Amino acid sequence: MDKEIMRFDKVTKRFGSKTALNDIDISIERGRIVGLLGPNGSGKTTFIKLANGLLHPDSGTIHIDDRLPGPETRAVVSYLPDRMYFADWMKVKDLAGMFEDFYSDFSRQKARDMMDKLGIDEKDRIKNMSKGTKEKLQLILVMSREAKLYLLDEPIGGVDPAARDFILKTIITNYSPESTVIISTHLIADVEKVLDEVVLLKEGQIIRRENVDRLREEEGRSVDQLFREMFAQG
Amino acid sequence: MEWKIDDRYPIWSQLSEQLAAFITGGQFEAGQRLPSVREFAADAGVNPNTMQRAMAELESLGLVVTNRTAGRAVTEDRDRIDQIRRTQVKKEVDIFLERMEALGFTRDEIMGVLREAITEEEDG
């Protein structure tokens, strides 16, 4: 098996006259938890959508698990979008059933175990849930797949510290050592401890890539500090 | 378990220090089987690869042994645990002395302050 789960070669993506990603080269190994960091509008969501095959590059090529993005790569990629996409009228069991139908690597038992811990019942209706519970449910479903690549777009958006801990623990406990997790976020301090490495995006370009422990060992700095320096205003 | 991670040092070395303290402090006894790396990682909220590295450090210190069938366990070697415990204490004392000296205290004054603090604690 190739060590690489994902590779971008000279990838550019434009929306009209705006260049969202500009000439991106990057290779990411299996078995890593990678933070995709940058301010709003730096290209994080575009990057994730390209990797998932929801968008196509204007130039350059993308390989996921040695293939071009398409139905086969989607079968090995588990994607958490940056917003809720479930219909309100659904019950939890409808959603779980949908995941079961769509993804052969989905484990309903695993999802049920995690829901039990949060007191979510399969008969519960989505529209009666709080925003935080919806976010957690969505993450549970995404992490209940045995994917090779998890793409999590802002998994800890606006949640409280307890929910954040639950989310990080869910990620740690459920990814396998052969799979890779890419987490996009602008809340660095919260996720730093779970990351192997970080990729910093600014205005559609990768301006820095760092191993979290190397940064601390050799420069005595946390990723949070680095981030503040790179993106300091003024 | 209570984990503390600050910004300055590599996470794995902070984890291995704290794991070592769990062992020398008796939270895990000699010979006791340990949770898996993943369970520890989830508990501390850290990357499993980082926890793995901390565990490897404990193995090289001789505090933890890997048994092919039973997974990881605390060493049965109580002398080794005691030895590490003494190193930990020495390190803490050195840091304390350094800080007190930086504040201008002499060794005698430090002894006096310590004795006072201990007596107060025993009385209180």
Side-chain angles (χ1 to χ4, degrees):
Chain A
M1 194 169 61
D2 202 337
K3 274 189 82 178
E4 196 175 65
I5 182 67
M6 185 181 98
R7 198 175 76 238
F8 278 39
D9 291 297
K10 304 204 163 300
V11 169
T12 295
K13 178 68 190 173
R14 292 185 201 89
F15 296 108
S17 61
K18 191 185 179 309
T19 305
L21 283 181
N22 189 8
D23 204 28
I24 299 281
D25 284 309
I26 191 170
S27 161
I28 290 176
E29 280 175 32
R30 293 172 202 270
R32 315 284 284 172
I33 304 184
V34 182
L36 187 62
L37 313 178
N40 288 330
S42 54
K44 302 190 296 289
T45 294
T46 305
F47 183 99
I48 283 184
K49 285 187 173 168
L50 283 165
N52 195 29
L54 289 172
L55 292 173
H56 299 285
D58 293 309
S59 59
T61 50
I62 296 169
H63 284 88
I64 304 292
D65 200 24
D66 296 325
R67 290 159 196 243
L68 297 170
E72 287 148 333
T73 65
R74 237 165 272 159
V76 299
V77 173
S78 193
Y79 166 59
L80 180 80
D82 62 344
R83 66 188 62 156
M84 219 28 219
Y85 58 91
F86 303 150
D88 260 1
W89 54 264
M90 282 185 152
K91 289 182 178 171
V92 173
K93 66 169 183 220
D94 300 324
L95 268 177
M98 233 171 69
F99 266 74
E100 212 164 29
D101 291 344
F102 286 163
Y103 305 112
S104 59
D105 60 359
F106 178 74
S107 160
R108 189 148 185 171
Q109 189 55 49
K110 210 169 167 181
R112 207 173 280 147
D113 290 345
M114 286 190 268
M115 287 183 218
D116 281 348
K117 280 187 203 148
L118 288 178
I120 298 176
D121 192 277
E122 286 225 342
K123 290 195 249 12
D124 291 349
R125 249 176 230 285
I126 308 295
K127 71 170 173 201
N128 297 333
M129 290 179 169
S130 70
K131 183 167 177 279
T133 306
K134 279 185 205 168
E135 283 185 353
K136 283 184 266 189
L137 172 65
Q138 198 167 359
L139 182 81
I140 286 174
L141 294 169
V142 167
M143 293 309 295
S144 293
R145 289 183 54 197
E146 302 223 343
K148 292 182 180 172
L149 178 63
Y150 298 88
L151 299 170
L152 313 179
D153 198 355
E154 295 281 359
I156 49 166
V159 296
D160 58 277
R164 179 200 62 201
D165 281 354
F166 172 83
I167 287 169
L168 293 179
K169 275 178 193 181
T170 302
I171 296 170
I172 294 165
T173 329
N174 288 294
Y175 100 109
S176 83
E178 295 81 40
S179 58
T180 282
V181 184
I182 298 180
I183 304 174
S184 95
T185 185
H186 58 279
L187 304 167
I188 297 90
D190 289 342
V191 298
E192 174 159 3
K193 290 184 297 174
V194 311
L195 304 176
D196 286 295
E197 54 182 323
V198 290
V199 174
L200 266 57
L201 278 176
K202 187 181 188 178
E203 292 162 11
Q205 284 181 309
I206 294 173
I207 52 166
R208 190 106 181 224
R209 182 175 184 179
E210 279 292 347
N211 177 291
V212 174
D213 266 333
R214 196 211 66 83
L215 188 70
R216 285 168 177 255
E217 238 155 316
E218 291 172 23
E219 297 182 31
R221 289 195 293 177
S222 66
V223 175
D224 191 37
Q225 287 165 333
L226 176 72
F227 187 85
R228 283 164 205 268
E229 284 161 33
M230 306 292 285
F231 298 107
Q233 297 295 315
Chain B
M1 262 161 294
E2 186 96 16
W3 304 85
K4 285 196 201 87
I5 293 162
D6 70 34
D7 266 3
R8 283 168 308 220
Y9 304 103
I11 295 167
W12 70 268
S13 67
Q14 299 185 51
L15 293 173
S16 75
E17 268 177 26
Q18 285 167 54
L19 284 165
F22 291 149
I23 294 172
T24 56
Q27 266 180 277
F28 293 109
E29 288 168 26
Q32 188 180 336
R33 216 191 134 178
L34 291 171
S36 68
V37 163
R38 188 180 292 244
E39 285 167 309
F40 266 135
D43 189 55
V46 301
N47 186 301
N49 296 329
T50 312
M51 187 56 83
Q52 175 69 43
R53 192 168 170 193
M55 276 295 185
E57 173 74 7
L58 289 197
E59 279 179 17
S60 71
L61 281 174
L63 276 181
V64 164
V65 289
T66 302
N67 182 313
R68 211 168 299 155
T69 47
R72 279 197 185 78
V74 178
T75 179
E76 305 264 7
D77 184 351
R78 287 170 204 274
D79 290 344
R80 183 63 188 150
I81 297 176
D82 199 48
Q83 213 177 354
I84 300 281
R85 188 161 162 260
R86 280 167 204 284
T87 344
Q88 287 169 332
V89 169
K90 173 123 186 25
K91 203 170 145 193
E92 293 297 329
V93 169
D94 286 346
I95 293 170
F96 170 73
L97 286 180
E98 208 172 284
R99 286 195 187 148
M100 293 300 276
E101 276 162 15
L103 291 172
F105 284 82
T106 66
R107 293 275 155 138
D108 282 346
E109 283 173 316
I110 296 171
M111 284 304 283
V113 170
L114 263 181
R115 212 171 281 127
E116 206 173 297
I118 291 169
T119 321
E120 260 172 36
E121 204 158 276
E122 279 170 353
D123 291 347

